[in-house]
Amino acid sequence: MISAQGHTADTQEESRVSKELELAYKELIQYARDLRETVQREQQKTRELEGAYFDTVMRLTRACELRDNETGAHINRLGEYTFLVARCLGMPVDQQKLLSAAAPLHDIGKIGVPDSVLLKAGGYTTEEFNMMKQHTVIGANILAGSVSPLLEAAREIALTHHERFDGTGYPQGLSGEQIPLSGRIVMLADVYDALRSQRPYKPPYEHDAACNIILNGDGRTLPEHFDPTILDVFRSEHKWFDEIFRNTRGK
Ligand SMILES: [Fe+2]
Ligand SMILES: [Fe+2]
């Protein structure tokens, strides 16, 4: 049998527990609010930081335009071809954006190549060609050591955009999937754009001629140089390459 005294003690205990629970609940709500604000602040900081990296890359890209005898239009087109291929390969949207923003820096290492070699109109001696090849390593060194995924992607592209799928490229002679996907994409984009452009040693080719060289080879460029999957994308989507080339000519 429960006494009146015992009943009062139980009621007091219940009310104390209920007050404590109420207090804990309020604290929990406040904690969740603080946490949400902290996360929002951090997200804002991350967005600002990413924006700053994109801004830095854009400015470096402009510096490349000044140094390189290739035009700014070539540099911008590389970003667009890369975006197209990355999208056709089904890469996540943030990767498509990242790679297309990083691709224009592929030749940043030309900053470190002497003018006498970089601006030479005629054919290179072996020694000069070796100096020219170094633009890949120089570029990678300039971009190395950043915590930014964008600059890291740019480093990877700078280092590997002259590697070939069959292992005959430079600077490391990597082959197949040893070459990062980003480098394999930019390599095809760079070859297509170079074929369409005037060079001291060649006239600009029309789209059909450039396609024929990439898909069937001409002795100098061979289909084996390219990742077969990326070559398939080029085979089916080549008209967009032409579209990009014509729309950004001279921009
Ligand atoms: Fe290059
Ligand atoms: Fe290039």
Side-chain angles (χ1 to χ4, degrees), residues 68 70 74 78 106-107 110 161-162 190 199:
D68 198 342
E70 291 186 283
H74 162 75
L78 270 236
H106 65 294
D107 275 339
K110 286 185 178 173
H161 72 282
H162 285 284
D190 203 25
R199 289 285 186 275

Side-chain angles (χ1 to χ4, degrees), residues 3-245:
S3 69
Q5 234 173 7
H7 182 74
T8 309
D10 279 354
T11 310
Q12 279 171 351
E13 179 62 8
E14 270 170 26
S15 125
R16 189 185 64 77
V17 168
S18 148
K19 271 189 189 134
E20 273 178 15
L21 273 176
E22 197 180 326
L23 202 66
Y25 177 71
K26 277 183 183 157
E27 277 174 8
L28 196 65
I29 293 286
Q30 188 55 44
Y31 177 72
R33 272 192 200 127
D34 291 348
L35 195 63
R36 196 178 55 207
E37 277 171 22
T38 307
V39 168
Q40 281 171 344
R41 265 200 308 276
E42 288 304 313
Q43 283 173 337
Q44 176 63 19
K45 269 194 218 158
T46 306
R47 272 195 297 274
E48 283 170 10
L49 198 59
E50 275 170 7
Y53 282 130
F54 273 83
D55 188 52
T56 306
V57 164
M58 210 186 72
R59 285 159 203 279
L60 282 172
T61 305
R62 281 196 210 146
C64 292
E65 290 173 22
L66 291 176
R67 184 72 178 93
D68 198 342
N69 57 2
E70 291 186 283
T71 63
H74 162 75
I75 288 168
N76 293 332
R77 285 195 298 266
L78 270 236
E80 298 201 26
Y81 303 129
T82 299
F83 185 74
L84 168 70
V85 176
R87 198 182 59 195
C88 292
L89 289 173
M91 292 174 87
V93 175
D94 57 340
Q95 279 296 104
Q96 296 171 21
K97 287 185 189 161
L98 191 81
L99 294 192
S100 67
L105 289 180
H106 65 294
D107 275 339
I108 192 173
K110 286 185 178 173
I111 287 174
V113 177
D115 274 355
S116 58
V117 176
L118 191 65
L119 306 175
K120 192 176 174 187
Y124 294 127
T125 63
T126 308
E127 194 193 344
E128 285 167 344
F129 189 45
N130 286 337
M131 285 166 102
M132 203 48 202
K133 286 179 179 173
Q134 278 302 304
H135 80 276
T136 51
V137 177
I138 297 168
N141 288 341
I142 290 171
L143 298 163
S146 173
V147 292
S148 152
L150 177 59
L151 290 176
E152 175 51 23
R155 184 201 64 80
E156 194 175 78
I157 290 170
L159 185 63
T160 61
H161 72 282
H162 285 284
E163 298 289 0
R164 292 170 172 172
F165 207 72
D166 64 357
T168 60
Y170 65 87
Q172 298 175 88
L174 301 177
S175 62
E177 294 187 1
Q178 285 179 323
I179 310 165
L181 183 56
S182 60
R184 284 179 261 153
I185 295 173
V186 173
M187 185 267 191
L188 185 140
D190 203 25
V191 169
Y192 173 81
D193 206 75
L195 289 169
R196 297 296 312 268
S197 309
Q198 171 91 46
R199 289 285 186 275
Y201 52 87
K202 63 167 267 304
Y205 293 120
E206 289 302 320
H207 174 69
D208 288 350
C211 282
N212 189 38
I213 291 172
I214 289 175
L215 295 171
N216 303 311
D218 69 347
R220 183 185 159 108
T221 300
L222 300 171
E224 301 90 277
H225 294 170
F226 307 102
D227 177 336
T229 311
I230 297 171
L231 206 57
D232 281 346
V233 168
F234 180 76
R235 192 176 284 111
S236 60
E237 307 297 332
H238 64 83
K239 69 174 191 300
W240 294 109
F241 277 70
D242 186 35
E243 191 81 6
I244 290 167
F245 183 81

